[in-house]
Amino acid sequence: MNAAARAPKTGKAAHQQSLLALYRTIVLVREVEQALSRLFANGEVPGFIHLSLGQEAISAGVASALQPQDSLTTTHRGHGHVLARGIDVEGFFKEIMGRAGGLCKGRGGSMHVADLSLGILGANGIVGAGIPIALGSAIAHAARKTGGVAVAFFGDGAMAEGVLHETLNMAALWKAPLLLVCENNGWSEFSPTSRQFAAKLEALAAAFGMAYEQVDGNDVTAVAEAARGATEALRAGRGPFVLECITHRVRGHYEGDPQKYRDANELQGLAAKDPLARTRDQLAQAGVSAADTERIDQEVLARVEAAITAARADAPPAFEDAASDVYTPATQEATP
Amino acid sequence: MSAIEMRYAQAVAQALRDSLEADERVMVLGEDIAAAGGSFKATRGLLEAFGPQRVLDTPISEASIVSAAVGAALSGMRPVAEIMFMDFITLAMDALVNQAAKARFMFGGQGNVPMVLRTPHGGGLSAGPQHSQCLEAWLAHVPGLKVVCPATPQDAYSLLRAAIADPDPVIVVEHKGLYGQKGMVEPVVGRIGEARIVRPGGDLTLVSYGATVAICLQAAQALAADGAQAEVIDLRSIQPWDRATVLASLARTHRAVVVHEAVTAFGVGAEIAATLSDEGFDELDAPVLRVGAPFMPVPFASSLEKGYAVSVEAVLAAARKTLN
């Protein structure tokens, strides 16, 4: 987590430090996603993957507002969220490449990455399914008085799922410490969301009397500030909060998606909105030298390359280990 | 500890009360379970005793009730969710099948999902096609879930305590028609996966669970009048089921009939009959027969439901066919 990003802006140095921490996270997500794109094209990633390229600022900004006791659920497009939360990069690559040392022992893959020790209750292969799971986690935070909040990341495609509407209602009724983060990239898989969802999320939040804020999801400073405000309100017991981050999906729904349904002009215009380039601009404006950002680029790249090397060297998981672990072994059973 | 006489629904409430007292991580949630005390009064008195943070009335949102139980379980609680009628689990199948059942496995054993879903199945109340179904076979088919089905007040208590203590997701299937049944209850925690020989006998094994255990006992009495002694086994737990007890019984009797209220086709009885035909092949003196509901929705009118329900006569007919 980016502790520096949470520090109050008492001066130029603090501002530079928090912005650099956010930048480091954005670069990490960018490098990992680009590497996965190459690995997938090389046939080194089994199955299918959904990349969050172009949406990195949301992951970095929201994660910067979280504390160790907090929890989150994410989606099929969830690599950025778990990386920003601080997941082990080597274990992450091993999982997605189907290796024994993967965070989930190669049983879940890209759509099921989890690290319960970091409060990551899983990516999810079912659109919207993480939202009510995060609600349950928020209830647990309240019951256990952890002071924590639960975050449900979801895309605009999930706005049409019934469990979102059920969760908004229940979270509002119970004033649950639940932060609902919508990454609105305009696309519900292969269809524009304008053709899939008749309402606006803002109106939906208002219908349930819920706090709502919309931010430019490609502006990491704006996301971080909004997330900090939202989590502070949640920790103060002021009930659930909807944060809608407007962003753009740079890649297809899945890697290999030819995107014939998309207008070439839309894709060409995305470079000007690139969250990584915009963060670099913010760093330059804050007086950070190019040498400092390039050093971060190199450090992150080396970390990602080392993780990929380790993942390639790792063994595939053994079938027997998986088949014998469907239920909790008796030796691990907790007593009542 | 001494046994107390109570009704099946009271035994459920007592198990919840004792679990809430024993473990502060236990919480109960569902529709009308708190202030109203539950549709079948199986959660009566819990709100007053434990407060609204641990005994939680929910809106009519089955999918999110069960999903929230999964999330709470992954975050350190031991939630016990209620779905008012088993027919309504259709709305919560993603939470059960894709989330609860798989979280432990697909996260590489990092954690588990210690949640319980209580839900009543069963007909006999003219509740109609959407309030009477026995859908336990669906759940028993999903790796990662456990399914139990108590037939007595004692098991309603013991199996629910065991389910709440279990580290994995357990569905406790109660029977609407049994909630008023009285019996002696000792406050002991049961063991999931252990069947019970309700009535010993050497000529034929009747395997059942839930409300049809009583029908098997009636059939066994009628068979005794004919001079045949039927052994009646109450499975108590469907997933996992107690193969050892059933196979050992078959080794003594060499004949078996599986009886349940659920639809026969593709049901629990099919799994048991197939296992006995395979692992117990050398012991069999007759084909394993099944008695269950016909392949149709549960009808409403009493005359129709009477035709639909498993009868003592149907069990007797199958038993006699097996004995001949």
Side-chain angles (χ1 to χ4, degrees), chain A residues 103-105 107-108 112 114-116 121-122 124 126 129 132-133 136-137 139-140 142-145 163 166-167 169-170 173-174 322 325-329 332-336, chain B residues 23 25 27 53 56-59 61 63-65 67-68 71-72 74-78 94 98-99 104-112 142-146 165 167-168 239:
Chain A
L103 281 159
C104 304
K105 299 182 181 170
R107 296 181 201 161
H112 305 289
D115 187 338
L116 298 181
L121 309 184
N124 215 301
I126 309 296
I133 293 174
S137 186
I139 295 168
R144 297 175 60 215
K145 298 181 174 56
V163 286
E166 292 184 1
T167 297
N169 180 44
M170 290 160 95
L173 282 171
W174 300 336
D325 201 24
V326 177
Y327 295 93
T328 306
Q332 283 181 27
E333 286 190 16
T335 48
Chain B
D23 187 342
R25 298 170 299 177
M27 62 181 294
Q53 201 141 41
L56 192 57
D57 267 331
T58 68
S61 304
S64 294
I65 292 167
S67 296
L74 285 169
S75 297
M77 300 297 286
R78 289 189 166 245
D94 176 64
N98 289 321
Q99 313 300 335
R104 174 184 169 76
F105 178 84
M106 73 184 172
F107 299 162
Q110 288 181 49
N112 45 23
V142 179
L145 298 180
K146 296 181 181 178
D168 295 314
Q239 182 59 264

Side-chain angles (χ1 to χ4, degrees), chain B residues 15 61 100 171-172 209 250 262 303 321:
Chain B
S61 304
I171 293 93
V172 180
Y209 61 86
L250 184 72
S303 61
K321 191 174 170 191

Side-chain angles (χ1 to χ4, degrees), chain B residues 75-144:
Chain B
S75 297
M77 300 297 286
R78 289 189 166 245
V80 184
E82 178 183 304
I83 295 294
M84 196 184 281
F85 287 81
M86 190 172 205
D87 313 70
F88 309 164
I89 66 161
T90 50
L91 294 157
M93 285 306 256
D94 176 64
L96 288 170
V97 176
N98 289 321
Q99 313 300 335
K102 293 173 176 56
R104 174 184 169 76
F105 178 84
M106 73 184 172
F107 299 162
Q110 288 181 49
N112 45 23
V113 185
M115 64 164 280
V116 173
L117 175 66
R118 289 182 41 247
T119 191
H121 75 173
L125 304 176
S126 279
Q130 296 175 343
H131 288 74
S132 304
Q133 294 169 87
C134 296
L135 303 175
E136 55 276 8
W138 291 6
L139 302 171
H141 191 64
V142 179

Side-chain angles (χ1 to χ4, degrees), chain A residues 201-224:
Chain A
L201 188 56
E202 180 172 12
L204 205 54
F208 291 99
M210 205 175 279
Y212 169 90
E213 188 173 344
Q214 185 181 108
V215 290
D216 176 350
N218 286 22
D219 178 345
V220 74
T221 304
V223 176

Side-chain angles (χ1 to χ4, degrees), chain A residues 94-158:
Chain A
K94 286 177 178 173
E95 182 60 31
I96 290 174
M97 292 167 73
R99 299 302 206 272
L103 281 159
C104 304
K105 299 182 181 170
R107 296 181 201 161
S110 165
M111 280 188 281
H112 305 289
V113 172
D115 187 338
L116 298 181
S117 71
L118 296 174
I120 300 169
L121 309 184
N124 215 301
I126 309 296
V127 170
I131 300 168
I133 293 174
L135 168 70
S137 186
I139 295 168
H141 284 302
R144 297 175 60 215
K145 298 181 174 56
T146 66
V149 304
V151 182
F153 285 102
F154 60 101
D156 40 320

